[in-house]
Amino acid sequence: MSDIIDVLTKDEKAQGLRAWGWISYVLHLIVAVGAVVPGAQPSVALLVIALVIDLLKKGDASGTWQASHFAWRIRTVWWAGVLYVVTAPLWLLFVFPGWLAWGLISLWFLYRIVRGMVAMNQYQALED
């Protein structure tokens, strides 16, 4: 009987992690699409909420295929943030290079989120 309870508990935990993962992916997707579509600027608060979810739930996912998704989203946000900061001076020098750099970063961010969502939908871990 305890084996059945263990299996059910693990399955519930896996489904809970997957639900949190989808919430995070959707929040990231809203921000990513907003970064690519001119005039659509969702709040950075959505990105912060998604990042906090990922940071808090990453430990719960340790040892599962879903751990790669939490790490994937966290790395994506940190790298995008670093790239935005590093390329920010381009806006001061010339508008076009800054716009181009941030556009490319935003497309990369969108690609990473969509790629992660596809893998999550197929119950697959992600590799860099």
Side-chain angles (χ1 to χ4, degrees):
M1 183 68 157
S2 88
D3 290 339
I4 294 171
I5 292 172
D6 288 343
V7 168
L8 291 175
T9 303
K10 287 180 184 177
D11 189 47
E12 288 174 6
K13 180 181 174 183
Q15 289 303 320
L17 286 171
R18 193 163 187 262
W20 282 113
W22 277 116
I23 291 168
S24 179
Y25 270 127
V26 168
L27 292 173
H28 280 90
L29 183 64
I30 292 168
V31 173
V33 169
V36 173
V37 175
Q41 293 299 321
S43 174
V44 72
L46 294 178
L47 189 61
V48 171
I49 291 168
L51 182 61
V52 168
I53 289 170
D54 291 336
L55 291 169
L56 291 176
K57 293 295 182 179
K58 182 181 178 189
D60 293 345
S62 182
T64 70
W65 64 271
Q66 295 183 59
S68 67
H69 287 271
F70 287 95
W72 177 265
R73 290 187 302 267
I74 292 167
R75 276 193 313 273
T76 300
V77 170
W78 288 128
W79 273 111
V82 167
L83 292 171
Y84 282 128
V85 168
V86 167
T87 58
L90 293 175
W91 285 96
L92 300 174
L93 300 173
F94 305 100
V95 173
F96 181 74
W99 176 83
L100 181 62
W102 282 26
L104 291 173
I105 296 165
S106 297
L107 286 172
W108 171 82
F109 185 81
L110 179 60
Y111 163 76
R112 297 257 309 179
I113 296 307
V114 171
R115 181 174 171 212
M117 291 176 87
V118 168
M120 174 84 97
N121 192 48
Q122 297 172 348
Y123 294 85
Q124 295 176 344
L126 289 163
E127 297 178 20
D128 269 330

